[in-house]
Amino acid sequence: MVICGPTASGKTRLALTLDESFSVEVVSADSRQVYRGMDIGTAKATLAERQRVPHHLLDVVPPDQDFSVADFVKLAGPAITEIRGRGRLPLLVGGTGLYIRALISGLIDAPGEDPALRQRLQNEEFRGGEGTLFRKLEEVDPGAAQAIHPRNLVRIIRALEVLELTGRPMSAWQADHRFTDCPYRLLTFGMNIAPEVLQSRIAERVGDMLEQGLLAEVEGLLAAGYQSGLKAMQTIGYRETVAFLAGHHTAEEMRSEIVRNTRRYAKRQGTWFRRDKSIIWVDSLRESARILSSIDDFMND
């Protein structure tokens, strides 16, 4: 079963609630919760929550180690098999849509990474300024550019890398891959939250993170030698805190930036998931009876 939706929409809360009626374990589908030491800013399940419901794919790698969607698929599949082998219900819970889609539908058969090429592309972005590579992608593969946020440098570089290595645009690879062979029987719930409620929750969550010690968490990561330029450290919440520590923001500006950027990210997540017509959209607080009934029907079918 899948529980997806934007950040702060209640995914973890629903997973914990389901434990009251079913024997469940969670497989996290979050591209940042895989990093050790990054707990507060990624809103990981607390130790108490993990003791209540086992969670998998948290704290997998240190912040300076790359972790790809292929790595996720490689680990998540066996975790789900093990959970099912214990007679329990695996819940794939998270907001990283690409991870969820890749696990249930497969990865495109594109070539692997080319570190030298990626470094050259990063240098090109540095020399030309922010947006250089995105503008290039718009020219050579407008289909891919339309599906990628202009500031998502990782995905922009990947699209350009695939084009240069194969001579075929990423959009063509994706069009050839129809995502038809799903190895799982699925029931997918999406968190249906009114925009104004979600915005309020995000602001509240950011406040909670700061009170819980986000600043100290980032200071600890930097002190441990993890550089601010790392992919993991560019996560929302961390990059704004690093900027504050470097004197580029006031405390209030830092908070406002985190809230604003999180809201923008949540909007992009919502857009991604709304494309999937198989998702059952629910309000986890108001539609518990409907959710439990759907699961009962699914499990007894």
Side-chain angles (χ1 to χ4, degrees):
M1 194 173 86
V2 178
I3 301 175
C4 62
T7 185
S9 60
K11 299 182 294 294
T12 297
R13 181 185 299 174
L14 175 57
L16 294 172
T17 300
L18 291 179
D19 182 61
E20 298 171 2
S21 303
F22 304 96
S23 180
V24 303
E25 295 186 30
V26 169
V27 177
S28 171
D30 187 296
S31 63
R32 292 301 184 259
Q33 292 185 356
V34 298
Y35 294 112
R36 292 193 285 270
M38 299 178 65
D39 303 328
I40 297 172
T42 63
K44 280 180 192 169
T46 65
L47 291 178
E49 289 169 338
R50 292 186 229 178
Q51 289 172 350
R52 176 178 166 185
V53 177
H55 281 62
H56 304 265
L57 271 66
L58 301 179
D59 304 323
V60 179
V61 294
D64 59 352
Q65 182 174 325
D66 286 338
F67 190 87
S68 69
V69 62
D71 294 322
F72 170 78
V73 171
K74 195 177 299 182
L75 295 176
I80 290 173
T81 299
E82 291 172 8
I83 294 168
R84 295 172 69 181
R86 290 191 285 272
R88 299 170 70 88
L89 176 64
L91 303 180
L92 185 64
V93 181
T96 303
L98 183 60
Y99 277 19
I100 295 172
R101 188 177 70 177
L103 179 64
I104 66 178
S105 305
L107 292 164
I108 64 172
D109 191 24
E113 300 176 5
D114 184 322
L117 174 56
R118 291 191 168 196
Q119 186 61 57
R120 176 164 63 77
L121 289 169
Q122 288 177 341
N123 292 342
E124 185 177 340
E125 174 82 358
F126 178 77
R127 290 193 303 269
E130 183 176 355
T132 298
L133 292 184
F134 184 73
R135 290 189 292 273
K136 179 177 181 178
L137 184 62
E138 285 182 309
E139 293 177 3
V140 298
D141 189 357
Q146 188 175 14
I148 299 175
H149 189 272
R151 294 185 62 184
N152 192 330
L153 190 58
V154 172
R155 291 188 63 197
I156 293 168
I157 287 177
R158 176 56 178 164
L160 291 171
E161 176 186 44
V162 168
L163 174 60
E164 187 155 338
L165 290 175
T166 68
R168 296 186 71 214
M170 175 66 88
S171 56
W173 284 92
Q174 292 169 335
D176 288 344
H177 187 71
R178 300 303 178 185
F179 297 105
T180 55
D181 298 325
C182 177
Y184 305 106
R185 182 168 165 264
L186 291 176
L187 178 66
T188 304
F189 291 111
M191 300 296 95
N192 188 28
I193 307 297
E196 63 274 13
V197 174
L198 183 60
Q199 290 192 8
S200 177
R201 285 188 187 179
I202 288 171
E204 182 178 351
R205 171 175 283 188
V206 171
D208 290 343
M209 287 177 174
L210 292 170
E211 290 182 8
Q212 292 163 8
L214 176 60
L215 182 61
E217 180 170 272
V218 175
E219 288 177 324
L221 290 166
L222 294 172
Y226 297 115
Q227 301 298 313
S228 61
L230 291 171
K231 173 183 172 182
M233 294 293 283
Q234 291 301 304
T235 300
I236 296 172
Y238 292 86
R239 67 170 181 252
E240 296 86 356
T241 304
V242 168
F244 166 73
L245 292 172
H248 301 310
H249 291 318
T250 65
E252 186 53 40
E253 287 170 341
M254 173 187 67
R255 178 194 293 262
S256 297
E257 283 285 300
I258 297 174
V259 170
R260 185 187 68 176
N261 291 335
T262 304
R263 286 173 173 170
R264 289 176 173 173
Y265 176 57
K267 185 175 181 179
R268 296 197 298 274
Q269 288 176 298
T271 299
W272 173 286
F273 289 118
R274 288 289 177 184
R275 298 189 188 114
D276 188 343
K277 303 306 180 184
S278 70
I279 294 176
I280 302 171
W281 293 97
V282 296
D283 184 327
S284 62
L285 296 180
R286 299 179 182 178
E287 298 185 275
S288 58
R290 177 190 173 202
I291 294 169
L292 293 176
S293 176
S294 296
I295 298 173
D296 279 331
D297 291 344
F298 173 77
M299 295 182 70
N300 293 323
D301 188 1

